[in-house]
């Protein structure tokens, strides 16, 4: 062993002991004839004191930043104590030292606030990982994983590994594939998730399964996606939705407790998908703050059960609202005194291409009770007051209204809501609010161009094809023909109203987990596949093993998967999952440190029975 | 929740309680008007009693084997207790029942001794996994993994995930590759192990790393190999070999304790590679029994330090021994009275193609002290006695001698030793003996056909190119030219004698783990790559990131990896790793349940910039 202690463990009570430490040179400070060095390892920093007697050796073998150093010396009380670090009461009076390895000057400083740019730090990831913020992220990640495993173990879950070289059944996302050398012309796929395997394990009787497992999706990468990512993947048999909700809010509460020392004792909020869309404009609302939306005008065909306030905005010949599919308002509390500059900035903000609105209507509900708006021409004060009341605004508030096409407007107002909350300091990083979103639609409507047949309307599974409908809705699914004959009226199709036995767990506006009760009857599964446009042959070819398994006593079951990378990022107070992955890829799916992917030998290709069709440079 | 209790938990103390159980119908037995059903789940079996009042319903909805059943009833004391199972004191008097799902008749019986053949059970793996033996295997696997994680956690190791989509750097085994859609003509590789990543983590200062991780090797599959397999992968910084040996024998002892309730208190044996080869004929000896070999004649060029007994076999004009490169003996204790039939059988056994010897010489050391052999023509009794003494045989023993080419003969006698021990009951499945094998050669000699240059001799890394030589041997490596100029005399090359700072952990004759102290100096790593025939360009292209990392303060480090599948199999008393993997592949690398690998769409291939060159059927 190269050391007797780590750089984080010595205290005043160790004074007088002879110790050997090994670590990296963080800083070197010379004061006259003595030299102070901060020695760093994963556990902390310890100050070393080199007295004059070592100067000759220090000059013969000079030290530099990031050198790997081994020292032997005596633990001594410091005169100048540093109460910022746990070892700050002591220093090591060095008797002897040895350079275990030299270091070139790092391309950026190994400090909390480094001077290295993103690309440089990705290339030298092994140096970036030395920095405290990244070390803390990986430690948090390990703590989250360990906490989850402990909880699941105590709940009698079993970690069972599922295979990585499986069959390609592209549904939704694209598969990564792996050419087989032993089966000419054939390919494995890497799993997008262990979904069907965990269901087979339920059929096999392993009634509580979990796995912390890598998954793979070959999608175009957005800012915060990785081609390989990690899930905490869980499945249970003999359960209903309520059992799953309780089990897994328990899991997250345990992680809060173990990792963040937070007792999350309050009841986890629940909301239907329809309410989430109606009140927040999206299916993963951040409920750390209120600011519910007001649906001034809903599109005629959706939210059948909900009442809008269209009477308040109609009838004044304001074309922007009259022509809009939907009109939505959000209240910025206490912002009635925003200046022209500030409301202009908000307008510019919603006009950015990422948001894509044409403009913004504002109403100031002044503290004296009067109202003023950017549409005074069209709406008199009574009308404005009525809109303000409908929006539940109070004197002193600012009401912001967006109008346009349903989906875009809803998305925009929900972004605007977050933007306002951010600028008002309402999204506190140390506050955590959980929310179950329930009762998703089972199907989504999609249009597809078919060669020679023009556009057709079809159903896609909103979650995945293994999700069960609500028990009451099974018969709607079985008894109706899924074919959409009238595209303009797809909302009238009985399948539109079928709700899924599915649930998402949302934390501070981020979906951290999602799952469903699964179909476990062959007949219903076949109906689902058929609804998605798969004929019997295709069903058998792709999912014959699962349909077969359902014939031999499949139990009722359901599960959930948590995005481990994202969960860690949110618990770490960050939006970037990359900072919580040891060796992430960039937005082109490249590992710039390894310079991967790369070209491979013709010989390798030949053995795999494939040829590259790319132009060689 | 579909149940109040599992099928394994009710006891006499629960008598009188109303419970709901759910599970699978294991057996149905009718006695007159009452019906007994054994209901099974992961936790056990509970007997259900259906009284006459339920007969009508039972006839309307008949039950069958493997039906999924939910019953509510009262826990009652059994008159006929079954002390074979923990729930054997009670039964459930069923009040009501519901069939949750039906089952077709399974293609084989779900019992400990099933009637299903291997192929059928692989196809219906989800049914095979219901059987007790497989369930126990997966439970053992989970327990081993959990025990390992707990130990490593307590020792301050951190689980850090390394990437799966990496760069192809084929060394030794073939890589599985993954075509990149976003980088035309380029490929990722799946990791054969996280070797270089864990070394980078050491450079990053994460001084105790572990991971239970899938690895991939595209090799021709032998009986007990899988293209994807799991390693317990570990690495430590600031350590020497001794630190690693102690840390990881601690790990295995902990697993023994947690999983097998075995206190392994004895010192773990250690043996040099050379002694293992000399005394047991292989580098993973089973030391549960003695039966050391006697090297009657060693090949002239190896084992320079060892003395053979060639004087005893030479000089009698016995051509078989005279012409053999090596002559090795093993003693079968107490077998001097083997019949002609038995010695003939042993001769046939060594002549099997898997062993490949031409014959076998036997010497019976009779209990009366006389000797008799199959080569009495050549060796008089004095000679035979001398050979017997050299072999450390005692009266009553049978000495078996093989002669031939070095490698084959050594392999054969080591197989023969195991075969004899098996038939003599000396390999007890409930006895566990650990052994560290140390001081492996760093390099192995290999010959390669080079186009236009004929055969050349070259070095390959016996472990892998990152293994450090023994500290004393570093200078031999640095100071000598690795090129082999005299192929016939390669053993005289200084590199032949370089020993590696490597270690294998052997359990009952199986290598369960192996590792090494690593090179951490750029210069030495470059020398190693050069010795393996890599020029500077190739080094930079393949391992530039690692050589780069070694410039920025790489600490001394080393590690080990355990074959998780095999470790579980041995602890489970089995030779077959397949029985300890939930969804294994067959010997052609196929998952016969999924029917994977399979063909993929032309569209998918096109997106990936590849074409198949296989003949389409």
């Amino acid at each position: 062993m190269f050391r007797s202690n780590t750089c984080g463990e010595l205290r005043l009570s160790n004074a007088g002991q002879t110790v050997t430490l090994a670590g990296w040179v963080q800083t070197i400070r010379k004061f006259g004839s003595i030299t102070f060095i901060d020695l760093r390892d994963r556990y902390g920093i310890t100050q070393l004191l080199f007295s004059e007697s070592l100067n000759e050796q220090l000059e013969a073998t000079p030290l530099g930043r990031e050198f790997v150093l081994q020292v032997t010396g005596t633990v001594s009380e410091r005169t100048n104590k540093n109460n910022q670090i746990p070892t700050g009461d002591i220093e090591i009076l060095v008797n002897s030292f040895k350079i275990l390895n030299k270091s070139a000057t790092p391309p950026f400083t190994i400090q909390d606030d480094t001077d290295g740019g993103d690309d440089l730090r990705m290339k030298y990831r092994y140096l970036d990982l030395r920095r405290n913020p990244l070390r803390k992220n990986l430690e948090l990640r390990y703590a989250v994983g360990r906490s989850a495993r402990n909880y699941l173990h105590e709940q009698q879950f079993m970690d069972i590994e599922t295979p990585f070289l499986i069959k390609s059944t592209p549904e939704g996302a694209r598969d990564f594939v792996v050419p087989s050398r032993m089966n000419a012309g054939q390919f494995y796929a890497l799993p997008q998730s262990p979904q069907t395997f965990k269901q087979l394990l339920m059929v096999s009787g392993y009634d509580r399964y979990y796995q912390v497992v890598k998954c793979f999706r070959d999608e175009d990468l957005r800012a915060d996606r990785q081609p390989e990512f990690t899930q905490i993947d869980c499945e249970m048999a003999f359960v209903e939705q309520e059992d799953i909700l309780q089990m897994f809010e328990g899991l997250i509460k345990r992680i809060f407790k173990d990792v963040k020392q937070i007792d999350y004792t309050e009841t986890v909020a629940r909301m239907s998908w329809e309410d989430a869309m109606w009140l927040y404009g999206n299916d993963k609302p951040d409920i750390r703050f209120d600011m519910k939306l007001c649906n001034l005008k809903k599109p005629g065909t959706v939210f059948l059960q909900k009442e809008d306030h269209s009477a308040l905005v109609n009838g004044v010949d304001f074309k922007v609202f009259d022509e809009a599919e939907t009109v939505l308002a959000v209240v910025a509390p206490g912002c009635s005194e925003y200046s022209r500059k500030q409301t202009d900035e908000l307008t510019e903000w919603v006009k950015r291409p990422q948001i894509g609105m044409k403009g913004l209507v504002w109403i100031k509900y002044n503290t004296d009770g009067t109202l003023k708006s950017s549409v005074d021409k069209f709406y008199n004060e009574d009308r404005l007051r009525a809109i303000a009341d409908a929006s539940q605004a109070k004197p002193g508030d600012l009401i912001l209204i967006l109008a346009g096409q349903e989906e875009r407007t809803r998305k925009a107002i929900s972004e605007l809501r977050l933007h306002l909350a951010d600028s008002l300091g309402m999204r506190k990083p140390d506050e955590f609010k959980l929310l179950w979103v329930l009762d998703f639609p089972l199907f989504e409507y999609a249009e597809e161009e078919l060669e020679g047949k023009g556009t057709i309307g079809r159903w896609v599974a909103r979650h995945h094809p293994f999700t069960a409908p609500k028990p009451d809705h099974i018969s709607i699914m079985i008894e109706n023909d899924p074919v959409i004959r009238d595209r303009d009226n797809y909302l009238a199709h009985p399948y539109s109203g079928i709700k899924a036995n599915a649930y998402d767990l949302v934390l501070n506006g981020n979906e951290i987990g999602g799952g469903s009760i699964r179909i476990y009857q062959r007949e219903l599964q076949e109906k689902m596949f058929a609804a998605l446009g798969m004929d019997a042959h295709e069903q058998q070819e792709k999912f014959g093993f699962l349909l077969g398994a359902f014939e031999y006593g499949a139990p009722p079951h359901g599960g959930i998967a948590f995005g481990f990378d994202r969960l860690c990022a949110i618990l770490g107070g960050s939006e970037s999952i990359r900072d919580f992955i040891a060796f992430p890829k960039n937005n082109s799916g490249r590992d710039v440190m390894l310079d991967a992917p790369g070209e491979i030998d013709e010989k390798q290709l030949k053995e795999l029975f494939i040829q590259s069709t790319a132009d060689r440079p």
Side-chain angles (χ1 to χ4, degrees), chain A residues 490-537:
Chain A
Y490 72 89
L491 282 166
H493 190 288
Y495 272 38
S496 273
I498 299 178
K499 291 281 193 278
N501 228 342
Y503 29 81
D504 277 359
L505 188 55
V506 174
L507 175 58
N508 292 1
N510 297 278
E511 183 205 321
I512 56 167
S516 62
I517 299 296
R518 324 297 184 185
I519 296 170
Y520 64 101
Q521 309 93 330
R522 178 169 183 143
E523 184 195 8
L524 188 58
Q525 186 66 66
E526 285 175 341
K527 184 81 185 184
M528 169 58 89
F529 286 144
L532 304 178
M534 247 186 257
D535 65 23
H537 174 76

Side-chain angles (χ1 to χ4, degrees), chain A residues 11 137 153 307 378 406 414 553 556:
Chain A
R11 300 286 184 276
N137 290 351
H153 178 76
E307 282 297 330
F378 299 97
E406 148 85 359
S414 98

Side-chain angles (χ1 to χ4, degrees), chain A residues 65-67 102-107 127:
Chain A
R65 260 169 47 202
E66 300 304 319
F67 274 44
K102 293 183 183 182
S103 174
T105 305
L127 295 180

Side-chain angles (χ1 to χ4, degrees), chain A residues 372-561:
Chain A
K372 167 121 194 66
S373 86
S374 59
V375 286
D376 284 348
K377 269 200 281 202
F378 299 97
Y379 294 95
N380 63 27
E381 196 160 348
D382 283 352
R383 283 245 182 196
L384 293 178
R385 191 178 316 278
I387 293 172
D389 288 346
S391 310
Q392 309 203 334
K394 293 182 298 294
D397 291 349
L398 173 70
I399 301 143
L400 301 168
I401 305 174
L402 296 178
Q405 184 266 337
E406 148 85 359
E407 196 180 327
R408 175 182 303 174
T409 309
R410 213 167 277 286
K411 214 164 166 252
I413 198 119
S414 98
E415 292 292 331
L416 177 61
R417 176 178 173 269
L418 295 179
H419 176 68
L420 290 168
D422 269 332
S423 56
L424 295 169
M426 295 161 83
R427 303 183 77 190
K428 303 197 190 88
D430 54 349
E431 189 187 2
F432 295 96
K433 283 272 189 196
L434 289 166
L435 169 71
W436 284 112
V437 178
L438 304 170
D439 305 338
F440 288 85
L442 185 61
F443 294 103
E444 258 175 5
Y445 174 77
E447 302 202 329
E448 195 178 17
E449 291 300 323
L450 278 197
E451 229 170 289
K453 291 189 186 171
T455 307
I456 63 147
R458 57 181 291 254
W459 300 115
V460 293
R462 198 180 190 288
H463 185 219
H464 58 47
F466 313 106
T467 294
K470 292 273 165 209
D472 294 349
H473 293 184
I474 291 178
S475 59
I476 306 176
M477 191 164 148
I478 292 283
E479 287 159 18
N480 287 284
D481 179 356
V483 175
I484 301 164
R485 291 177 208 283
D486 180 1
R487 281 202 284 136
D488 293 335
N489 239 335
Y490 72 89
L491 282 166
H493 190 288
Y495 272 38
S496 273
I498 299 178
K499 291 281 193 278
N501 228 342
Y503 29 81
D504 277 359
L505 188 55
V506 174
L507 175 58
N508 292 1
N510 297 278
E511 183 205 321
I512 56 167
S516 62
I517 299 296
R518 324 297 184 185
I519 296 170
Y520 64 101
Q521 309 93 330
R522 178 169 183 143
E523 184 195 8
L524 188 58
Q525 186 66 66
E526 285 175 341
K527 184 81 185 184
M528 169 58 89
F529 286 144
L532 304 178
M534 247 186 257
D535 65 23
H537 174 76
E538 193 181 349
Q539 292 181 25
Q540 192 53 39
E541 171 132 345
K542 286 185 172 168
F543 297 107
F545 62 95
L546 187 69
L547 293 171
F550 284 176
E551 287 193 39
Y552 294 101
H557 63 285
I560 194 167

Side-chain angles (χ1 to χ4, degrees), chain A residues 98-109:
Chain A
K98 188 178 168 190
I99 296 173
L100 296 177
N101 215 344
K102 293 183 183 182
S103 174
T105 305
F108 49 84
T109 56

Side-chain angles (χ1 to χ4, degrees), chain A residues 296 309-314 316 379 383 386-388 390:
Chain A
L296 290 171
H309 299 272
S310 49
L312 302 180
V313 292
N314 285 345
V316 298
Y379 294 95
R383 283 245 182 196
I387 293 172

